[in-house]
Amino acid sequence: MQLTRDRKAWLEGPGAACNSRPEHNPRPRRLVLLGAPGVGKGTQAEMLCAKLGACHLSTGDIFRAAKAIGACERSPALAAALQYMRRGELVPDETVLALVSERVNCLKCEGGFLLDGFPRTVAQAEALEQLLKKNKLSLDAVVSYELPIEQIVARLSGRRTCPQCKAVFHIDALPPKLPGICDHCGATLYQREDDRPESVRVRMEAYETSTAPLTAFYSSRGLLCPVSAEGAPKEICARTLEELRNRNP
Ligand code: AP5
C-alpha cells in the first residue's frame, strides 16, 4: 500500500475538509510514536504512514501551521502556545487537549492514525485514553524510539524543514537534491527556531521530566514497543514494521 493522506483537517482544524479516502485502507493502524526531540519520529511517521495508509498527526505541526496564519487571527491560547514552543517548553496540557479534542474526527478516521508528539505528559496520555474509549477506539501499539543523546543532537543541528509541505531533511543524512530547496514542492528550506542550542537544552529537559515517564505508563498497559533508532531511516522503518507485525500479525 502506498497512500498519501491529506492532513488539512488536522493542521487547520475542524473547519477544513479532508480529501482522504479511508475506505482504501483494509487494516487501519492506530499508533503513538514516542522518543526524544530529534530522534526521528517525524521522519519515521512519514515513511510508516505511506506504508500503512494511516494519517500522520503531529501536534508540533499544528503549532507550526498556526504560525503561518495572521497574528490577529490566532486565538489567545494559540498565540501563547507559540511562545512556549519558541522557548522549547511544553505547551500547557489544556491547550494541547483542546486542539486534539476539536480534531477528534481525525482519530475516528477509518484510515487509522499515527500520533507524533502527542501525548507528551501522563495527563495527556490519560486524556487520550478517555477520548479513544468514548469513541470506542483503542491503540494498537506505542512505538518508543531509542538513541544515544549525542546522535540526537547531531540530527537536530542538521535538520532543515520545508515551510510549505512540512517535509524534513538533514544536511548530511537526508540531503535535498538541491541544497536548501524542498524536493517535493520547491520551497526554500529553513532551520526551526527551536533547534537553536538554548531551546534544544530546554526541550531535552522537558522530555526527561514529562515525556519519558510515558514509557512506564504504556508499558503497564502492554502497549510499549521499543525500537532502536540507530541506522538509516529506511532500516529503522523496516525494523518498526517488523516489530509491529510481531505484535499484531
Ligand atoms: P514537535 O514538533 O513534536 O517536536 P519534537 O518532539 O521536539 O520532535 P522533533 O520534530 O524535533 O523531532 P523528531 O523526533 O520528529 O525528528 P525528525 O524526524 O524531525 O514539538 C515541537 C514543540 O511543540 C515542543 O517543543 C512543544 O513546545 C510543542 N508541542 C508539540 N506537541 C506538544 C504536546 N503534546 N504537549 C506540549 N507541547 C507540545 O528528525 C530530526 C532530524 O534528523 C531531521 O533532520 C532528519 O532528517 C534527521 N534524521 C531522521 N532520521 C535519521 C536517521 N535515521 N539518521 C540520520 N538522520 C536522521
Side-chain angles (χ1 to χ4, degrees), residues 38 41-43 59 64 89 117 120 124 159 169 192 203 231:
K41 301 180 298 294
T43 304
T59 37
R64 282 182 285 279
E89 294 167 23
R120 241 183 171 92
Q124 291 181 17
R159 169 163 57 193
F169 299 86
R192 273 169 47 175
R203 284 162 67 198

Side-chain angles (χ1 to χ4, degrees), residues 104-116:
V104 72
N105 281 342
C106 292
L107 300 178
K108 290 196 277 189
C109 176
E110 288 171 20
F113 61 75
L114 210 155
L115 280 168
D116 161 18

Side-chain angles (χ1 to χ4, degrees), residues 7-18 62 98-106:
R7 296 196 300 159
K8 237 175 155 26
W10 180 257
L11 294 177
E12 295 174 19
C18 170
I62 297 179
L99 290 170
V100 173
S101 298
E102 69 185 20
R103 287 160 173 77
V104 72
N105 281 342
C106 292

Side-chain angles (χ1 to χ4, degrees), residues 35-44 58-61 63-64 81 84-86 88-93 96 116-121 124 152 154-156 158-161 168-171 173-174 192 194-195 203 229-234 236:
V39 75
K41 301 180 298 294
T43 304
Q44 289 308 312
S58 153
T59 37
D61 282 348
F63 297 129
R64 282 182 285 279
Y84 284 101
M85 186 181 174
R86 206 161 281 141
E89 294 167 23
L90 291 187
V91 174
D93 286 340
V96 178
D116 161 18
F118 175 84
R120 241 183 171 92
T121 62
Q124 291 181 17
I152 292 180
R155 286 184 185 180
L156 280 177
R159 169 163 57 193
R160 298 293 181 271
T161 306
V168 174
F169 299 86
H170 189 276
I171 51 174
L174 213 65
R192 273 169 47 175
D194 62 348
D195 281 347
R203 284 162 67 198
E230 297 221 32
K234 274 187 182 167
I236 302 162

Side-chain angles (χ1 to χ4, degrees), residues 98-231:
L99 290 170
V100 173
S101 298
E102 69 185 20
R103 287 160 173 77
V104 72
N105 281 342
C106 292
L107 300 178
K108 290 196 277 189
C109 176
E110 288 171 20
F113 61 75
L114 210 155
L115 280 168
D116 161 18
F118 175 84
R120 241 183 171 92
T121 62
V122 171
Q124 291 181 17
E126 286 167 346
L128 173 65
E129 204 167 55
Q130 290 307 314
L131 198 58
L132 292 176
K133 201 168 158 194
K134 202 169 140 196
N135 287 286
K136 300 186 173 51
L137 296 168
S138 57
L139 292 174
D140 293 308
V142 173
V143 177
S144 176
Y145 287 114
E146 296 169 353
L147 193 71
I149 183 86
E150 59 278 12
Q151 288 188 50
I152 292 180
V153 172
R155 286 184 185 180
L156 280 177
S157 58
R159 169 163 57 193
R160 298 293 181 271
T161 306
C162 175
Q164 271 179 32
C165 71
K166 319 290 175 214
V168 174
F169 299 86
H170 189 276
I171 51 174
D172 302 316
L174 213 65
K177 290 184 186 110
L178 288 175
I181 304 294
C182 178
D183 288 355
H184 310 290
C185 69
T188 302
L189 303 177
Y190 77 108
Q191 183 165 30
R192 273 169 47 175
E193 49 185 3
D194 62 348
D195 281 347
R196 289 169 303 166
E198 61 274 24
S199 301
V200 168
R201 201 183 53 249
V202 177
R203 284 162 67 198
M204 291 298 176
E205 283 165 12
Y207 173 75
E208 283 305 326
T209 312
S210 305
T211 312
L214 285 181
T215 54
F217 178 90
Y218 283 119
S219 180
S220 72
R221 280 151 175 79
L223 287 169
L224 197 71
C225 180
V227 174
S228 161
E230 297 221 32

